[in-house]
Amino acid sequence: MKRNAVTKLIDWKESGTKVPFLLLGTKGTGKTYLAMDFASSYFPQYLYVNFELNEGAKLFFENRIEEGALISEVIAAYFQMDERYLEEVIVILDEASFCPLLWKALEETVTVPLIVISGILSESVDLMRFYVCRLYPMGFDEFLSAVGSDWYIDIIQGHFQNAKPVPDIVHQELLALFEEYLIVGGMPAAVNEYISSKSVYNVAEVHHTVMCRMKSVLESLHDEKETGKGLQVLQVLPEQLKKENKKFRFNLIRKGVTYALYKDSIDALVRSGLVLRLNEQKRESHFKLYLPDVGMLSSAFYGTETEETKKAVLENYVMQTLVANGKYSLCFWESEAQAKVDFILEDNGHETAVELRISTSGKAKSIASYQAANKKNGEEYFRFGFENFYSTSVMRQIPFYAVFCIK
């Protein structure tokens, strides 16, 4: 499956830098496959070790690092090869979070082409020492490529640029594919199941398996107490997103629970990519949490779908897409009078409000409230909806399937 992140790997290789490539992302996003596919395509040979699955490798690396050996020396010794030949291959160190001492070795100068893969990252790791890329579940454009509909991508991008509607028949085809994507999501295993079975019937089972793998990593790397609290947050998350007010409420876990009690656990969930966090503008103690993949949320709602769950799924989709695009800092806005703007896109001090529109009726009253409260009357805002591309003097309508273009 073609992944957009491969361009960052290519840029890293062509730059000639000796800085290791750090590939981050939660379990199931396809980090290992991407690294191996790149390595086999651009290098004559690659060496691979997985510290989660290979306890012997973990002990070997940690013992040598404690003795003061450089990372190139450790790798050469582990693979029983002359160190001078390492520059001709690329080394993939997978699940580095299971080998904590590895980060110490990587603080030294690295001479071998090196990809380090990690699902969870300690706050003590200095990211300035790496060429960093975070891999998210497949976006809608990557989904189109995977299912053999690449040509739609250029059409969407072209009409996003000129803000002119696509032909209606193409628009309807894209909406149908988008509805499938909301169910399947972007976890490669689920997309592969959808392609091979030509149906969505078994993807919920795949999502369940992926979620279990994600939780197992959390359990392996954190103490029992913090893991338990993190799992409680994950358990109530779909129920929270069903509500009209989607700000996270701790009373869903149990009465008397406070943010202070769960802060560290939530921070760990965010760092590991198990949840996506969206803060209220200027009030970080108020926030929403989303799952990393829209398909997993759709599966959590299976059999209980309502208008509110539909909105939650669309919110989750927009959140994961904008986070993956990486262009904007994101937040949401609410007034004392309960006017709500689901997303504010911030870039170099400029803010763009976003209205999510499920139906084709109604006026953007909350947008008007936000603009009045922040003295932004008449500024352009985005509307994401099921309608075709069009624009007015103050609003730009963007179909949900084109959100990936905002980057």
Side-chain angles (χ1 to χ4, degrees):
M1 295 181 184
K2 182 181 178 183
R3 302 303 302 271
N4 297 334
V6 73
T7 59
K8 293 187 177 181
L9 281 159
I10 295 170
D11 290 344
W12 167 72
K13 179 182 183 299
E14 293 182 347
S15 71
T17 181
K18 295 298 183 181
V19 173
F21 191 98
L22 178 56
L23 187 56
L24 300 172
T26 191
K27 205 77 167 175
T29 51
K31 302 184 298 299
T32 301
Y33 177 86
L34 173 63
M36 287 184 167
D37 187 50
F38 166 77
S40 60
S41 299
Y42 290 88
F43 288 84
Q45 183 182 359
Y46 69 84
L47 305 174
Y48 175 84
V49 59
N50 186 309
F51 295 111
E52 179 186 12
L53 302 178
N54 191 333
E55 182 69 18
K58 172 189 171 182
L59 293 174
F60 183 94
F61 272 70
E62 290 195 333
N63 288 337
R64 294 298 180 98
I65 292 168
E66 282 187 328
E67 293 170 0
L70 297 175
I71 189 64
S72 56
E73 296 172 340
V74 181
I75 293 169
Y78 179 78
F79 287 103
Q80 300 181 1
M81 61 187 300
D82 193 309
E83 190 178 336
R84 60 184 171 176
Y85 294 122
L86 286 180
E87 293 187 10
E88 301 175 11
V89 302
I90 185 169
V91 180
I92 302 172
L93 302 179
D94 204 350
E95 296 294 354
S97 54
F98 286 84
C99 185
L101 283 181
L102 179 66
W103 304 107
K104 176 184 176 182
L106 293 173
E107 291 177 0
E108 306 294 334
T109 300
V110 177
T111 58
V112 54
L114 187 62
I115 297 176
V116 181
I117 303 174
S118 184
I120 296 179
L121 194 63
S122 168
E123 290 179 303
S124 63
V125 175
D126 183 6
L127 294 179
M128 298 298 292
R129 292 186 170 274
F130 299 92
Y131 192 113
V132 181
C133 172
R134 181 171 284 278
L135 188 65
Y136 294 92
M138 298 168 68
F140 183 60
D141 56 330
E142 293 173 307
F143 175 80
L144 288 175
S145 179
V147 300
S149 298
D150 311 59
W151 66 282
Y152 281 125
I153 300 173
D154 290 337
I155 290 176
I156 295 170
Q157 291 173 331
H159 286 267
F160 175 82
Q161 292 296 329
N162 61 34
K164 294 181 179 179
V166 300
D168 187 62
I169 187 171
V170 176
H171 178 64
Q172 296 304 322
E173 290 170 353
L174 285 168
L175 287 179
L177 283 165
F178 175 68
E179 291 286 357
E180 295 281 277
Y181 174 74
L182 292 180
I183 298 171
V184 177
M187 288 298 187
V191 176
N192 188 55
E193 170 61 31
Y194 170 74
I195 293 171
S196 60
S197 67
K198 297 181 174 59
S199 77
V200 300
Y201 296 122
N202 295 323
V203 295
E205 184 177 342
V206 176
H207 291 148
H208 176 73
T209 301
V210 172
M211 178 57 80
C212 288
R213 293 177 63 207
M214 292 163 65
K215 290 178 179 178
S216 70
V217 173
L218 193 68
E219 292 167 345
S220 300
L221 297 173
H222 294 280
D223 62 56
E224 186 176 348
K225 184 177 179 181
E226 290 303 323
T227 296
K229 289 190 287 187
L231 294 177
Q232 287 175 338
V233 172
L234 287 173
Q235 184 176 1
V236 302
L237 188 51
E239 189 64 30
Q240 176 66 71
L241 291 173
K242 282 183 180 180
K243 297 183 177 297
E244 183 178 356
N245 185 344
K246 293 174 174 50
K247 284 191 292 189
F248 194 82
R249 304 292 185 186
F250 290 93
N251 60 7
L252 277 180
I253 298 174
R254 66 178 185 272
K255 288 185 178 180
V257 169
T258 63
Y259 173 56
L261 186 63
Y262 277 75
K263 181 181 183 304
D264 290 345
S265 298
I266 290 174
D267 288 346
L269 290 173
V270 173
R271 285 198 307 274
S272 64
L274 289 173
V275 299
L276 304 175
R277 175 170 173 159
L278 183 69
N279 291 329
E280 184 175 353
Q281 191 177 54
K282 301 176 182 177
R283 298 178 69 183
E284 291 191 4
S285 60
H286 292 189
F287 56 89
K288 301 178 185 178
L289 297 177
Y290 300 92
L291 288 179
D293 175 63
V294 65
M296 297 174 75
L297 184 62
S298 292
S299 290
F301 288 149
Y302 182 75
T304 62
E305 295 88 349
T306 64
E307 191 73 6
E308 236 7 271
T309 63
K310 178 71 171 179
K311 187 173 189 298
V313 165
L314 290 168
E315 269 194 46
N316 206 111
Y317 158 75
V318 170
M319 177 66 179
Q320 74 179 72
T321 304
L322 293 176
V323 167
N325 288 355
K327 176 176 174 58
Y328 294 98
S329 297
L330 307 174
C331 64
F332 69 95
W333 177 88
E334 288 189 3
S335 72
E336 297 297 330
Q338 297 302 301
K340 301 175 184 178
V341 177
D342 295 310
F343 294 94
I344 305 293
L345 315 184
E346 299 177 342
D347 182 32
N348 294 323
H350 180 73
E351 299 176 359
T352 302
V354 174
E355 176 194 9
L356 299 192
R357 188 176 169 103
I358 297 179
S359 66
T360 57
S361 61
K363 296 183 178 180
K365 295 180 180 179
S366 289
I367 296 289
S369 297
Y370 161 78
Q371 291 181 335
N374 292 276
K375 299 179 180 180
K376 297 179 180 294
N377 291 323
E379 289 193 6
E380 183 185 60
Y381 67 92
F382 292 154
R383 173 186 288 166
F384 300 161
F386 292 103
E387 296 172 83
N388 212 323
F389 290 99
Y390 73 91
S391 61
T392 69
S393 59
V394 296
M395 184 275 294
R396 186 173 179 189
Q397 158 65 28
I398 299 170
F400 280 119
Y401 56 69
V403 176
F404 73 86
C405 296
I406 302 176
K407 54 187 175 183

